[in-house]
Amino acid sequence: MKRIVSLFIAAFIIAGLSCSGAMAKPEATEFRAGDFSPSALKSVLVLPLIYETTLPDSEPFLKESAEQKWTSLTTGNKTRWPFLVKTPQEVVKAAAFVKGVEPEPMNAQQNAEKALTLAADYTDGVLSCTVTTIGTGVIQHPGEYITKWRYEDRPVWRNNRWEKERVSIPYQEYKEPWNEGYTKGAVKLELRSSKDNSLLYGVNVSANTGEGLFSDAPSLSKHLQNVIENAAKRIPVK
């Protein structure tokens, strides 16, 4: 009896782990130029997140949380990189200092655009991350018969006497059609030379995360943060 209970608990735990809502293994397509050496770059301009898709309005701080994650992984983590990472504001201020003038008041988007025009003179590379997909979907699972097991005590002739033995008996049970929600996200990350715009390193990362055994699919904000982090941590540092 104890063995049967132990097997049931083990199967239950395994099922829970296999159906958990943790991000599924992302799909990644990478490119690295043959002669690219991160240590050869002295400084890199990090652009704000770029969006090639419309962000759903179901989560009010989706954009802010994604940009906070991108910043924390790049300019907010300077010790990770073999080169100096610079914000657009820092590049614009450096250019103004060289010219002996005060930088013009600009918003974040204007700062990024201005810094990009100055990148060739004040940096060696430009790092960008573009959100290409973020949203939810539904997988429609058809009805199906699944095999389950029940247990019975049955008499067995053994050692010249009748003994009771618990045996497992399979049976079929119909599972109704059901829908599984999931969260999807994808980003494109590029590190380009600021001198000739050639691609030094690039990666496309996408991932879908479904509902867990005891949980819903992750929020858009959490999922997008995870995809951004996965992409950023792939950037080679040596």
Side-chain angles (χ1 to χ4, degrees), residues 21-44:
M23 186 173 77
K25 185 177 181 180
E27 295 184 1
T29 303
E30 294 183 81
F31 168 83
R32 179 171 180 169
D35 57 349
F36 170 50
S37 173
S39 60
L41 302 177
K42 294 181 180 179
S43 62
V44 170

Side-chain angles (χ1 to χ4, degrees), residues 63-105:
K63 183 177 180 180
E64 288 79 4
S65 64
E67 292 175 350
Q68 184 179 57
K69 171 61 73 171
W70 174 240
T71 299
S72 70
L73 293 165
T74 53
T75 54
N77 188 19
K78 295 179 182 291
T79 57
R80 178 179 185 271
W81 311 105
F83 41 74
L84 179 64
V85 287
K86 295 183 176 182
T87 66
Q89 292 87 342
E90 289 173 333
V91 172
V92 172
K93 285 183 179 179
F97 177 79
V98 170
K99 295 178 181 178
V101 299
E102 288 293 322
E104 300 176 16

Side-chain angles (χ1 to χ4, degrees), residues 106-158:
M106 291 181 286
N107 59 33
Q109 180 63 31
Q110 291 170 331
N111 258 313
E113 293 173 356
K114 181 66 174 179
L116 199 53
T117 65
L118 299 167
D121 295 325
Y122 293 92
T123 65
D124 300 304
V126 177
L127 178 63
S128 66
C129 182
T130 304
V131 178
T132 56
T133 301
I134 184 64
T136 58
V138 175
I139 301 174
Q140 296 180 329
H141 296 274
E144 60 179 338
Y145 283 95
I146 58 176
T147 300
K148 290 193 172 183
W149 301 82
R150 67 174 184 270
Y151 300 92
E152 291 183 2
D153 291 328
R154 292 187 175 182
V156 177
W157 181 257
R158 183 186 294 123

